[in-house]
Amino acid sequence: MGVAGAAPGSGAGPAGSTMDRDEVDRALGRLGAEHEAIETSLLALQDHAGRRLLEGAELTGTTRERWIVADESIGRLWDLFDAYTDALTEVRELRARRRWPGREDLVELTDRLRGRRVTVSAPPGFIGLSVDGPFRLAEEFTLEELVERMNGLYAASLDVVVTADAVWSALPARIDLLSAELQRTRSLAHAAGVRPGEHPAGDELEAITGELTILRAQVISDPLAFWRPTPGSSAPGGGRPDTERYDGAARALDDIRREVEAVLQVRQDSEQRLLRLRDVLSRADRTLAEARTARGEVLAKIAASEVPAVSGPPTALQERLGRAAEYRRRAQWHRLSPLLEALEREAEEELLRARESLTAVTAPLAVRAELRGRLDAYRAKATRHGCAEDPLLVERYDQGRRMLWSAPCDLRAAEQAVLRYQWAVAEVLDGRAPGAGGEGGGG
């Protein structure tokens, strides 16, 4: 507030000297500009929307305490401004008496422009203590001191008004928008069966509703409690609204909205997901049944072989699948959603275990099939070279075939028979006498 530049008497030479006519006129020009700037600032403060809101609001806490002081300061500002206006008018009238003021006139003008000639009564209920000690009911100012006092009161009052207005402009509207979004989310949650006491998200929605109601009431009644000043800033209104609680509620509501949307998505695709689950569990059941059949075959056809046990059908998963279908019939989507996710994961794991069980059970049959293939492959090789009818080869082939095509089959003995036939074929093809290396040659 006010005009930047020299103080009223700053261009008048040494302190205590009498100002000349030009210095008086320059000082009056500065004082006039200062008066206009102060009046403009005071009128703007008087019409400020934040001040009008503060006057009509039921304030509490920090805002109430600071507004009481600021309101008194604004009233005091007008008293000081009136005194400043009267003093300036008197100086102007004194200067206007003569175009060329005499010595006595210049002394009087200098005293009025520089001296403590402005007396302002103390506000009601105020008792000031002077430097000398006695109580007084009025204060005396120079014009420069009066401007400094008004600038200080104006800055403090404006800070309260601007800060409150900034918080009121920012937070209540955002809280109202978030409350509207909250109501939409509550409607979706109700449709999805997400209700207080039945689902954690329903309880959280109630908590957010209460938090926003309390937050809005506190922002309206005590806006200055939601202001973060800028460190090191002395300008009125330097800082920003404190939105931490609002931001926390907005983040929580966003999380709940995503959870509710996921539940609603379950309502749309739950039938297909249940069908897929039944198919996966059916495949797991069939695979386990196949593994149990294969295990009986292995135990009957393969001797001295450790065959792992096969677990029973996934009855526990089937029961939970039935529970999921019941949730769907009752439209309990909030219960169905987590159950479906768990069932889908566990059903895939069950199918994988069934396949691994079948692989483990049928491993001996796979070994037997591999040995049969090796035996026939070496017989074919011997046939191509015209030595398949060699007596030793015929004998060893018959030994291996009897072992591999009879039940129960001793896989270890059958493997040795295949190896003996393999070695015999190699010896014949190398041109060595049959049996030269002995039946156990090579181990």
Side-chain angles (χ1 to χ4, degrees):
M1 182 174 78
V3 175
S10 61
S17 62
T18 302
M19 302 169 67
D20 59 28
R21 187 190 68 165
D22 292 337
E23 289 172 340
V24 168
D25 290 342
R26 285 195 299 271
L28 285 173
R30 285 192 299 272
L31 287 170
E34 189 79 44
H35 180 273
E36 290 181 7
I38 293 172
E39 184 177 30
T40 301
S41 298
L42 287 177
L43 290 174
L45 178 60
Q46 194 71 18
D47 293 335
H48 198 288
R51 188 198 64 80
R52 293 197 298 271
L53 289 172
L54 284 166
E55 283 186 337
E58 295 183 4
L59 303 176
T60 61
T62 302
T63 306
R64 182 176 183 278
E65 295 172 1
R66 291 187 60 187
W67 173 241
I68 290 174
V69 176
D71 192 32
E72 293 176 352
S73 296
I74 293 173
R76 182 64 171 164
L77 269 170
W78 284 106
D79 292 340
L80 296 176
F81 178 71
D82 289 342
Y84 182 74
T85 302
D86 294 342
L88 180 58
T89 300
E90 291 176 2
V91 176
R92 283 173 171 171
E93 290 175 351
L94 180 59
R95 173 64 185 89
R97 290 177 186 174
R98 296 180 180 84
R99 181 177 181 184
W100 300 99
R103 174 70 180 173
E104 293 181 358
D105 294 330
L106 290 175
V107 170
E108 178 66 19
L109 287 168
T110 300
D111 184 45
R112 287 178 177 270
L113 289 171
R114 291 181 176 175
R116 282 200 172 95
R117 296 293 300 274
V118 184
T119 301
V120 183
S121 300
F126 174 82
I127 300 179
L129 182 64
S130 68
V131 177
D132 299 329
F135 292 103
R136 57 184 181 174
L137 299 177
E139 293 182 272
E140 295 178 346
F141 300 92
T142 65
L143 290 173
E144 179 182 354
E145 290 171 345
L146 192 57
V147 170
E148 290 177 355
R149 174 67 65 85
M150 286 190 290
N151 282 336
L153 292 174
Y154 176 82
S157 303
L158 182 64
D159 182 68
V160 174
V161 171
V162 171
T163 299
D165 186 55
V167 173
W168 278 334
S169 298
L171 275 175
R174 295 172 68 180
I175 293 172
D176 290 343
L177 289 174
L178 190 61
S179 296
E181 180 64 27
L182 174 64
Q183 292 304 318
R184 288 192 292 270
T185 303
R186 291 183 69 176
S187 298
L188 290 175
H190 185 80
V194 177
R195 299 180 178 88
E198 298 180 8
H199 192 280
D203 297 332
E204 292 175 14
L205 280 174
E206 288 299 302
I208 295 173
T209 301
E211 167 66 4
L212 289 181
T213 301
I214 295 172
L215 179 60
R216 193 182 193 285
Q218 291 176 345
V219 167
I220 294 300
S221 66
D222 191 9
L224 299 188
F226 295 86
W227 184 257
R228 287 187 177 178
T230 301
S233 174
S234 58
R240 63 179 180 83
D242 182 359
T243 61
E244 183 176 352
R245 286 173 60 184
Y246 167 84
D247 294 337
R251 286 192 298 269
L253 180 59
D254 194 47
D255 292 340
I256 294 173
R257 183 171 57 249
R258 284 195 295 269
E259 184 173 351
V260 171
E261 288 172 352
V263 171
L264 291 173
Q265 185 65 35
V266 170
R267 182 173 66 177
Q268 295 177 4
D269 59 15
S270 59
E271 183 176 2
Q272 292 299 321
R273 291 174 70 180
L274 285 171
L275 289 175
R276 285 195 299 269
L277 268 172
R278 291 190 182 97
D279 179 64
V280 171
L281 291 179
S282 177
R283 282 187 287 157
D285 196 10
R286 291 195 301 270
T287 303
L288 288 174
E290 185 180 352
R292 285 191 292 272
T293 302
R295 186 174 188 273
E297 181 182 352
V298 169
L299 291 174
K301 295 182 177 180
I302 307 298
S305 179
E306 296 180 359
V307 184
V310 179
S311 62
T315 54
L317 290 180
Q318 293 287 359
E319 292 175 359
R320 293 170 64 196
L321 182 60
R323 193 188 315 156
E326 184 66 19
Y327 286 159
R328 183 177 182 276
R329 282 192 295 272
R330 296 182 179 180
Q332 294 179 328
W333 311 113
H334 63 291
R335 296 180 184 274
L336 179 59
S337 178
L339 181 57
L340 277 180
E341 292 179 2
L343 282 173
E344 287 169 342
R345 182 180 62 256
E346 295 173 21
E348 290 295 337
E349 293 172 352
E350 183 65 27
L351 179 58
L352 179 61
R353 282 194 297 269
R355 289 170 174 170
E356 291 173 347
S357 180
L358 178 60
T359 300
V361 165
T362 57
L365 295 177
V367 172
R368 187 184 68 172
E370 191 270 336
L371 290 174
R372 286 177 175 181
R374 281 172 55 189
L375 183 66
D376 288 341
Y378 277 101
R379 180 178 175 83
K381 182 177 181 180
T383 301
R384 286 198 306 273
H385 289 82
C387 59
E389 299 304 322
D390 184 273
L392 180 59
L393 295 183
V394 171
E395 177 188 354
R396 292 192 176 178
Y397 175 78
D398 289 342
Q399 289 176 355
R401 184 173 179 78
R402 282 194 303 272
M403 290 183 181
L404 289 171
W405 268 268
S406 62
C409 172
D410 188 337
L411 289 179
R412 294 186 180 87
E415 183 179 14
Q416 290 300 317
V418 172
L419 287 174
R420 285 195 297 270
Y421 181 72
Q422 176 183 341
W423 296 331
V425 171
E427 289 175 356
V428 171
L429 293 180
D430 286 344
R432 288 178 285 182
E439 289 190 5

